[in-house]
Amino acid sequence: MTLKIKSVVLALGLAALVTGCGHIPNNSRKADRGIGNAKMEPMLDSKTDSPVHTIVMPHDEPVFSPGEGRDEFVTACVVCHSPRYITMQPQFSRTTWLSEVKKMKDVYGAHISDEQALKITDYLFSINGKAGTGQGPKGTYGE
Amino acid sequence: MNRRGFLQLIGATGIAALASSCNRINSVMATLPSSTNLARFPEKTEMILLTDRPPQLETPLHYFRQDLTPNEAFFVRWHLEGIPISVDLRTFRLNVSGHVRQPLQLSVDDLRSQFQPISIIAVNQCSGNSRSFFEPRVPGGQWKHGACGNAKWTGVSVKSILDRAQVKTGAMDVSFNGLDVPPLPSVSDFVKALSIDHARDGVVMIAYAMNDQPLPMVNGFPLRLVVPGWYGTYWVKALSDIAVLPHPFSNFWTDKAYRIPNAPNGTESPKDLAKDTIPINRFNVRSIFVRPDPDEILHPGMPTEIEGIAFDSGYGIRRVEVSTDGGATWADARLDPEIGKYSWRRWRTSWTPRNRGQYQLMARATNVVGDTQSKEQWNRSGFMWNVIQQVDVKVG
């Protein structure tokens, strides 16, 4: 029951992403990926004499190339954190990526099924895996 | 909230995040890994971007040529997506509760006007500073050496606040919570604790000023716990709740996270992970080069200034040795005067390379109790890096 609700909600989120973004940029283009190199929202630092101190956080997250498992990744992971948590990592083996995904699911309670966890692992490995050592326990959830 | 409502909330959050991230697409993730990204966040200068949500920002090393790290360049590390972005000082209160006779609700003005102010210069350093240098590499924030900084902290001692609250007998731990909130109910709120004796040592303090200015929001405005000599995980930002406990504190961030092998210098082998672990605690001793720049080309026969910083958990730096030949020979560097027990200490030496070629500069600090730096170190979490730093320079 709850799984169904979850799927609907997540699907809605995904739909919003797809329609909201219009198109996914061509992944063959090597573009700048940094907030710093790019246009940045001007800072709205509040005045120091005001009792209310407010900042506006910049929001500029990298967009990931298409691939198997991308949808699961975008839906389940970036709800809680920037995809830069992936891109700042070195290339890891599939085993390491799987243990990271497991940590997110089992320790932090990310709302993903075992099947989705595997898809996400495959996607993370495909975009930031270490060649040669990546043939981990494919198709199994757990080590 | 029931489960359905909760899931809808999650969905809505996700949609909001995704929709807003689509507003400005200027970056495409095609190949990895990345070169260094710089970013400007509110009240901050251009810093090395690790992550943007929640923010993790690293200080460019050249700022360490100043004894006090400017607030706008001080490193930033949050755990949970829900970081505070607005604080109303008219309603903000620091709550002191739990095993006390007199619970307190203190405004920042109360702290400034009703307690004896104290100031201390202290290094704050992330547990994972320099994590990217561990081999084999470990997951986590891939910091270089810039997840630390030295600042003058001004505020009130935790002791004076606990004294006002009148701690009951039998208190064991004191927990510290900030305004940040988890993105999911399943994620533990970020709360840390110190033993009652540590919290009452008169050194642990609550800072309302950093280098004589209010703290930047992303560094913990309006109040931050300062735990001199201890890793940054204890320096709770946007501190809002203190609870005195008659039992040992326990939560995910202490029982499962931020633990080190119970072994000298927190070291273990990748092939034989330690079973016995303890919460991370005091800094080990380390040094960091700040001059020359790694890409600076030096010239034969020309004197070159070599400079760095060294610190430990408060015993004090006794000696820094520098090698210009990859560790074959060492010579003492000059130490600048101490500017505080918990501050870093600057060291300098002059070096005139004779010949063209590649040179390996190394620095090794030793503190007054004889702790020093080693050549090898590893642990699964990438904590407490203090391997002797090597900087390769070209003389041409």
Side-chain angles (χ1 to χ4, degrees):
Chain A
M1 191 281 274
T2 51
L3 261 181
K4 256 186 199 165
I5 295 170
K6 189 160 48 177
S7 315
V8 169
V9 171
L10 293 182
L12 278 174
L14 186 60
L17 168 79
V18 172
T19 52
C21 286
H23 71 286
I24 292 164
N26 182 353
N27 72 323
S28 65
R29 198 183 87 209
K30 247 198 170 178
D32 59 336
R33 304 196 281 107
I35 284 181
N37 331 338
K39 314 90 228 164
M40 190 80 194
E41 194 165 345
M43 290 191 288
L44 295 175
D45 297 352
S46 44
K47 294 184 181 71
T48 48
D49 54 356
S50 163
V52 185
H53 189 59
T54 303
I55 60 170
V56 176
M57 293 296 285
H59 202 98
D60 179 357
E61 301 188 348
V63 173
F64 280 77
S65 51
E68 185 74 18
R70 178 187 184 276
D71 293 348
E72 284 80 2
F73 165 72
V74 167
T75 312
C77 306
V78 303
V79 167
C80 292
H81 62 77
S82 165
R84 290 182 197 275
Y85 273 76
I86 311 304
T87 60
M88 77 161 158
Q89 303 301 330
Q91 296 182 329
F92 284 129
S93 70
R94 191 176 182 284
T95 308
T96 301
W97 279 124
L98 179 59
S99 69
E100 287 301 294
V101 175
K102 274 183 65 177
K103 183 168 78 184
M104 293 301 147
K105 181 179 185 296
D106 298 339
V107 179
Y108 295 104
H111 289 242
I112 45 176
S113 66
D114 290 357
E115 191 193 347
Q116 286 172 318
L118 286 172
K119 281 192 173 173
I120 291 168
T121 300
D122 287 342
Y123 182 68
L124 299 181
F125 178 65
S126 76
I127 60 166
N128 203 14
K130 195 195 284 177
T133 58
Q135 295 316 308
K138 216 169 184 167
T140 56
Y141 180 73
E143 283 150 87
Chain B
M1 189 184 294
N2 62 25
R3 186 167 172 84
R4 185 188 182 117
F6 160 66
L7 285 169
Q8 282 166 343
L9 175 66
I10 297 308
T13 310
I15 291 164
L18 297 173
S20 59
S21 74
C22 292
N23 290 342
R24 289 174 299 283
I25 295 172
N26 52 19
S27 45
V28 174
M29 196 63 53
T31 52
L32 297 164
S34 66
S35 55
T36 299
N37 288 314
L38 295 175
R40 282 204 70 181
F41 273 65
E43 306 172 313
K44 306 298 284 183
T45 188
E46 215 164 58
M47 296 181 72
I48 300 164
L49 175 69
L50 272 68
T51 62
D52 52 313
R53 179 172 58 87
Q56 300 189 78
L57 309 172
E58 176 167 351
T59 305
L61 267 184
H62 65 86
Y63 285 103
F64 297 166
R65 292 174 187 169
Q66 302 173 56
D67 283 335
L68 297 183
T69 312
N71 291 2
E72 63 269 23
F74 209 94
F75 82 96
V76 173
R77 192 272 189 265
W78 290 88
H79 299 81
L80 308 174
E81 189 202 29
I83 73 165
I85 55 170
S86 185
V87 174
D88 185 342
L89 293 177
R90 294 168 300 192
T91 55
F92 174 87
R93 293 293 181 274
L94 173 66
N95 299 298
V96 184
S97 64
H99 203 57
V100 296
R101 281 198 197 84
Q102 180 58 61
L104 306 172
Q105 292 85 38
L106 301 164
S107 69
V108 175
D109 270 351
D110 293 339
L111 290 179
R112 286 178 178 272
S113 60
Q114 299 175 13
F115 294 86
Q116 177 70 34
I118 59 171
S119 286
I120 192 167
I121 297 174
V123 171
N124 182 13
Q125 177 179 222
C126 179
S127 306
N129 193 21
S130 311
R131 178 179 286 122
S132 63
F133 296 98
F134 281 101
E135 195 60 51
R137 299 286 295 269
V138 294
Q142 297 299 318
W143 305 99
K144 295 186 173 67
H145 301 307
C148 64
N150 197 34
K152 176 189 169 194
W153 309 94
T154 301
V156 304
S157 71
V158 170
K159 179 179 190 305
S160 62
I161 288 174
L162 293 180
D163 286 351
R164 162 110 36 126
Q166 302 172 54
V167 174
K168 294 181 190 169
T169 55
M172 293 188 75
D173 283 350
V174 183
S175 70
F176 300 89
N177 191 10
L179 296 175
D180 51 336
V181 292
L184 299 176
S186 55
V187 178
S188 297
D189 195 9
F190 187 76
V191 184
K192 296 295 286 189
L194 302 173
S195 73
I196 182 73
D197 290 343
H198 189 186
R200 275 200 296 210
D201 69 358
V203 176
V204 175
M205 63 179 286
I206 296 165
Y208 46 69
M210 176 179 179
N211 296 326
D212 300 317
Q213 296 292 322
L215 285 75
M217 186 75 81
V218 290
N219 289 105
F221 181 86
L223 301 174
R224 179 170 201 172
L225 190 67
V226 170
V227 190
W230 284 50
Y231 281 98
T233 182
Y234 294 98
W235 298 46
V236 172
K237 293 181 289 302
L239 178 67
S240 57
D241 289 278
I242 298 177
V244 179
L245 308 171
H247 52 78
F249 178 75
S250 169
N251 79 348
F252 167 76
W253 298 104
T254 293
D255 303 344
K256 298 273 174 18
Y258 286 107
R259 297 185 74 86
I260 56 169
N262 187 9
N265 210 28
T267 289
E268 64 187 334
S269 159
K271 289 179 186 140
D272 183 22
L273 297 182
K275 286 177 186 63
D276 184 16
T277 63
I278 56 171
I280 194 167
N281 47 83
R282 301 172 69 129
F283 297 155
N284 51 18
V285 59
R286 70 172 303 184
S287 55
I288 299 171
F289 279 94
V290 300
R291 215 185 288 272
D293 275 327
D295 50 1
E296 194 175 327
I297 294 177
L298 312 179
H299 301 290
M302 295 282 284
T304 300
E305 288 307 309
I306 300 177
E307 181 186 323
I309 50 171
F311 60 92
D312 71 343
S313 66
Y315 296 108
I317 296 299
R318 187 185 70 196
R319 180 181 201 191
V320 175
E321 301 155 281
V322 172
S323 172
T324 56
D325 53 15
T329 60
W330 297 84
D332 280 311
R334 302 186 306 280
L335 297 178
D336 275 11
E338 261 189 13
I339 57 172
K341 235 178 119 166
Y342 298 100
S343 163
W344 60 39
R345 191 167 185 183
R346 195 163 299 278
W347 52 266
R348 310 162 192 272
T349 191
S350 184
W351 173 51
T352 307
R354 276 197 211 134
N355 304 309
R356 292 174 205 277
Q358 293 284 343
Y359 291 81
Q360 290 81 45
L361 309 183
M362 297 171 99
R364 179 172 66 197
T366 305
N367 69 3
V368 299
V369 295
D371 297 333
T372 187
Q373 302 181 251
S374 58
K375 285 186 185 158
E376 286 186 4
Q377 177 196 28
W378 190 87
N379 59 70
R380 75 196 89 166
S381 304
F383 291 150
M384 295 176 68
W385 171 269
N386 75 336
V387 169
I388 295 168
Q389 190 189 357
Q390 179 175 322
V391 174
D392 296 336
V393 294
K394 187 176 179 185
V395 176

